[in-house]
Amino acid sequence: MGPTSEPIEHQEEERTGPATIHSLRPNILRYIFSFLSVQHYDYLNHRTRTIHNHLGPVSLVCKSWNAIASPLLWQERTFHGWNAGEQLETFIQQTENADFSSTHEYGDFVKRIEIIDSHDVVDKQNGQFVINWITPDVVLALSEHCSRRLRDLTLVFATGRQLSNETEEGLIPWNALAEACRRLSMLTLTNYICPILPVGNGHPLHIFATHTNPLTELVLKRCKNIPSETFQQLARTCGKALTKLVLLDSDDNLGAAEMVEFAKHCPNLRHLNVSWFESFEAKFNDDALIELTTNCLRLEYISLLDANQISDLSFQTLAKLRYLRNLILPRAGTTETGMTFRQESLIAVAKSCRRLEQLHLVAPGATTSKFFEALLFCPNLQVLVIVELSQGLLMDQRFKSLGLAKYVDPETTEGYKLVWHKKT
């Protein structure tokens, strides 16, 4: 080593220089920024979302930080409350005008959009809600400028709108949404009044059902006038991609035949939640449940409200669902005869579905001590609800072996309703 030569480690230090926050790689900065996010569990949809609302100041530090923070900050947009209209208008302007920002086209970052119409302001003259954020122009703007990465769309329409084929709902450009948003995989509609039109090329929602990308999650709550053909088309279009199906309080256009179509064409269902008004005909019967347990063997969550057309014949097929975690049949059984499920069928379900965490049943006379002994095969059981339990079992000491605390529902007026929950 000559007199002018320096140690190798000093040469390396001079060549690279000291490390600063601006010299970190983008993946390291993205990891650091992730600590500013908030994990929010959505109990209604049974999933966890990551919210990056705290990245606003970070995006203003420098250009490199803005390039990393902006896609995270803009990937989820929610509009509801009194300021929703103004916020939505500003958001659409930012997505429509490419020159609004010299840095990004923010519409390309959006992955999830939730718009909730105002339920607070009422027109005193006719009693109808007058503030509606979800207009045809808004949906068209979203389909044109937020279509590149949009995956999750939630539209909550205001209640109290007139049922007519000339309302704003009938003018929603569902065809543009289906054609533009090719990555859309999760759709939630609440209080949507479908236009009363013949099913065909001119029906807007049927066009969406035909041409949309196969959805992984479909949630329809209190949606009216959706044709039965559209339900069947949604089942065929979604097919194997559909993993979650929620149909709550839909009208009589949704029946057992449509549920059979979903069970037949959607074998990868994991989550099924179906309920309806008691005045309508039951959506689930033995044929629908047998089709479901034959084709959808990986179901984990089943909730069927007022499934009073399910008999022991179809109930015993639930033993095929080895991945089942939640089984909720709060009003199941043939009400005309008073018969629900036999003890042998209950025991078969308990022994086969060993991953059960929640079990809600109506089974008068069938829940003997043998059934509760069979529940020992379900070590993950957290909640057990039995309606119309015979009084003689109230003092059975075998319940203690399940590790569940016993609770008698004080609101029950007919029979006995027991609720057990895991001791903590």
Side-chain angles (χ1 to χ4, degrees):
M1 181 182 300
T4 59
S5 61
E6 298 181 0
I8 298 179
E9 55 270 18
H10 290 174
Q11 295 179 8
E12 191 71 21
E13 182 178 355
E14 291 180 359
R15 185 164 55 248
T16 58
T20 64
I21 189 67
H22 299 286
S23 63
L24 295 178
R25 295 181 179 180
N27 59 335
I28 298 178
L29 283 175
R30 193 175 293 107
Y31 174 75
I32 295 175
F33 293 166
S34 66
F35 288 96
L36 298 176
S37 62
V38 177
Q39 297 294 326
H40 171 71
Y41 184 76
D42 189 349
Y43 287 93
L44 293 178
N45 297 313
H46 298 276
R47 64 186 181 194
T48 302
R49 301 205 319 263
T50 303
I51 301 177
H52 302 275
N53 293 339
H54 300 291
L55 289 179
V58 173
S59 63
L60 302 177
V61 173
C62 62
K63 186 176 181 180
S64 60
W65 284 31
N66 181 276
I68 299 173
S70 291
L72 298 175
L73 184 63
W74 282 78
Q75 69 179 4
E76 182 170 335
R77 300 279 92 184
T78 302
F79 306 96
H80 61 84
W82 289 98
N83 298 327
E86 181 180 352
Q87 295 174 357
L88 186 58
E89 182 179 359
T90 302
F91 168 74
I92 292 177
Q93 291 178 356
Q94 291 174 325
T95 57
E96 287 180 347
N97 301 327
D99 297 334
F100 187 89
S101 171
S102 59
T103 307
H104 307 293
E105 294 184 8
Y106 293 104
D108 293 341
F109 299 146
V110 179
K111 295 182 179 180
R112 181 181 184 273
I113 295 178
E114 180 179 11
I115 306 176
I116 302 177
D117 275 349
S118 174
H119 290 241
D120 299 324
V121 180
V122 181
D123 186 352
K124 295 182 180 180
Q125 295 181 357
N126 54 23
Q128 298 298 315
F129 292 89
V130 297
I131 294 186
N132 303 316
W133 313 132
I134 308 172
T135 63
D137 293 338
V138 168
V139 176
L140 184 62
L142 297 181
S143 62
E144 290 180 352
H145 304 287
C146 302
S147 60
R148 183 177 178 182
R149 297 183 182 179
L150 185 63
R151 297 179 63 251
D152 188 351
L153 178 62
T154 298
L155 301 178
V156 180
F157 294 82
T159 57
R161 292 184 173 185
Q162 296 287 345
L163 275 73
S164 171
N165 56 357
E166 298 179 355
T167 57
E168 286 184 344
E169 291 91 334
L171 302 176
I172 296 290
W174 294 109
N175 55 339
L177 192 69
E179 294 174 359
C181 303
R182 304 311 301 172
R183 292 191 178 186
L184 186 66
S185 60
M186 291 174 280
L187 176 65
T188 300
L189 297 181
T190 302
N191 302 329
Y192 175 64
I193 302 176
C194 198
I196 304 176
L197 295 172
V199 177
N201 296 331
H203 197 287
L205 191 60
H206 194 79
I207 294 176
F208 176 85
T210 304
H211 299 288
T212 186
N213 195 53
L215 302 174
T216 60
E217 295 186 10
L218 176 61
V219 179
L220 303 177
K221 301 178 181 179
R222 299 181 297 278
C223 295
K224 305 303 177 184
N225 302 334
I226 298 180
S228 58
E229 295 86 352
T230 302
F231 281 115
Q232 297 179 11
Q233 183 60 51
L234 282 170
R236 292 190 292 267
T237 301
C238 295
K240 296 181 179 181
L242 192 66
T243 60
K244 180 178 180 178
L245 178 63
V246 177
L247 303 172
L248 301 181
D249 293 340
S250 298
D251 54 17
D252 52 2
N253 289 336
L254 173 65
E258 287 69 41
M259 298 310 306
V260 169
E261 287 294 312
F262 277 107
K264 183 183 301 183
H265 293 94
C266 308
N268 293 324
L269 270 179
R270 302 289 197 276
H271 183 111
L272 177 64
N273 189 355
V274 180
S275 71
W276 53 95
F277 294 122
E278 295 183 9
S279 59
F280 293 128
E281 184 180 353
K283 313 299 183 185
F284 243 86
N285 56 17
D286 283 342
D287 294 337
L289 186 57
I290 291 175
E291 192 74 30
L292 189 73
T293 55
T294 301
N295 297 326
C296 308
L297 297 178
R298 300 188 69 86
L299 271 166
E300 300 178 4
Y301 183 101
I302 298 179
S303 178
L304 307 176
L305 182 62
D306 291 332
N308 53 11
Q309 298 299 317
I310 295 178
S311 67
D312 185 75
L313 175 65
S314 60
F315 178 82
Q316 59 187 333
T317 63
L318 289 169
K320 300 179 182 178
L321 306 178
R322 304 300 176 88
Y323 297 93
L324 194 62
R325 297 179 182 272
N326 296 270
L327 177 60
I328 304 174
L329 305 176
R331 300 178 188 175
T334 305
T335 57
E336 290 81 0
T337 61
M339 185 274 295
T340 50
F341 315 122
R342 295 185 299 119
Q343 174 182 266
E344 292 78 10
S345 301
L346 293 175
I347 293 176
V349 170
K351 288 185 176 181
S352 299
C353 306
R354 300 189 177 187
R355 303 185 182 187
L356 276 176
E357 298 176 0
Q358 294 192 40
L359 180 61
H360 297 229
L361 290 177
V362 180
T367 51
T368 64
S369 58
K370 292 183 179 180
F371 166 65
F372 287 95
E373 290 176 356
L375 288 177
L376 292 175
F377 290 93
C378 305
N380 298 321
L381 189 63
Q382 300 289 329
V383 177
L384 174 63
V385 179
I386 303 294
V387 183
E388 299 181 12
L389 189 68
S390 59
Q391 186 177 6
L393 289 176
L394 293 178
M395 302 304 295
D396 196 331
Q397 297 299 320
R398 293 186 177 91
F399 297 166
K400 295 182 179 181
S401 61
L402 296 175
L404 301 174
K406 185 167 56 178
Y407 166 71
V408 181
D409 190 352
E411 298 181 358
T412 303
T413 58
E414 299 179 358
Y416 292 89
K417 178 179 180 181
L418 295 191
V419 181
W420 287 270
H421 59 87
K422 203 74 170 180
K423 294 179 179 179
T424 58

